[in-house]
Amino acid sequence: MTSSMTSSTTTSTWTPTRHRLAETAMAALAPVCACVLALGGLAVWTATGNAGAPARIGVTDARLFLPSRGVPETAAFFRITNVGGSQDRLVRVTSSDVTEGISLSSHRMTAGGAAYRRPTESLPVPAGGTLDMSPHSSDVTVPAAAGWETGDLVPFTLHFEHSGRMKVLAVVVRPGSPT
């Protein structure tokens, strides 16, 4: 006994309907949102200086103002250059000649044209830029040590958030004298 079976195949073509288009759009929404969020995060990461080559710090023009008699503190200034692709921050300064009391300061102008110092936790060193400390911008406030004279070299260690420590010698100069 032979039995013959006929198989019927139906061919259907995909036709875009409103329901199918909505399902397709919903399926594509999650990957598109993930890509947009990732690109946004990368853009913010790059704009804040966290992408690219690491910070490469160099310090020049280190000077310390000769303290005036009777004044308990003076200021040290450094020219800090970052040739790297990421920003860094100067977070602390120490010295073997000064046991305590060294602080970072930024300078602000009042409406009347007077300047004042404000302690700060850190000073930014921009990627590909310079932190050029001066009496008009920022400094390192240092307790005055008895016995410093013009031309003396005072050791400082600058501590950076990403670049670690850097030892420098600052020359003692009279305020207002050419460096």
Side-chain angles (χ1 to χ4, degrees), residues 5 33 48 51 53 112 141 145:
M5 295 187 89
C33 287
T48 57
T141 303

Side-chain angles (χ1 to χ4, degrees), residues 90-107:
L90 177 63
V91 295
R92 188 168 63 124
V93 177
T94 57
S95 174
S96 57
D97 282 10
V98 181
T99 56
E100 60 184 53
I102 297 176
S103 63
L104 300 173
S105 301
S106 61
H107 299 203

